Amino acid sequence: MKKIIALFLLFSLSGTLYAAGPYDGIYSVIVSGVTSGYATVHEVNNKMVVIIVDPMPNTPWEPMIGTRRGNSVSLTNVVGVSSSDIQLKVTVNFNDNGPSTATIASCVNGISHVCLFPTGSKFNLEKLF
């Protein structure tokens, strides 16, 4: 009986833990009119986690974190989590009426990985869902 009560409590508590940000979802990253990757956005209390995934095999994914202010967030990659060793900062401006934009604020090459795009590069983010 104790196991059933513990299981019930676990499920009832876990139902209240979810991302609730207005910009949560999956976005396609558009470079020169072509989808070059995807970003998943999750937010709780203005704290945002973004994971950038490249569809190319053997290409590292990039986790990023930041705090949203209004419709903008400055993201910094989490060093040591993926195989990528670059230092990346990106500013994202979310738009409710069209594509959002991401701008590389800075990118520093690592030992084993190099920045694919220079500082100042801009990308469109189209929300898929």
Side-chain angles (χ1 to χ4, degrees):
M1 185 65 172
K2 289 180 185 179
K3 290 181 183 178
I4 293 173
I5 293 172
L7 187 62
F8 174 74
L9 287 174
L10 177 66
F11 283 119
S12 66
L13 292 175
S14 66
T16 61
L17 301 174
Y18 58 92
Y23 303 110
D24 285 4
I26 306 293
Y27 293 79
S28 58
V29 180
I30 310 296
V31 178
S32 300
V34 177
T35 299
S36 70
Y38 299 92
T40 177
V41 176
H42 307 277
E43 178 185 3
V44 174
N45 297 330
N46 294 339
K47 303 290 186 205
M48 192 172 280
V49 174
V50 176
I51 308 294
I52 301 170
V53 180
D54 190 326
M56 298 296 292
N58 301 322
T59 303
W61 55 283
E62 197 64 56
M64 305 189 81
I65 58 172
T67 301
R68 182 177 60 84
R69 288 177 179 81
N71 67 335
S72 181
V73 62
S74 293
L75 299 166
T76 304
N77 70 316
V78 182
V79 178
V81 176
S82 76
S83 65
S84 174
D85 59 352
I86 63 172
Q87 295 176 13
L88 180 63
K89 292 184 180 182
V90 175
T91 301
V92 178
N93 291 305
F94 292 99
N95 185 354
D96 294 330
N97 301 317
S100 299
T101 58
T103 304
I104 296 179
S106 70
C107 189
V108 178
N109 291 333
I111 295 171
S112 61
H113 291 86
V114 297
C115 300
L116 297 177
F117 300 99
T119 298
S121 296
K122 295 185 184 233
F123 310 96
N124 284 339
L125 303 173
E126 293 185 7
K127 190 169 186 176
L128 300 174
F129 60 90

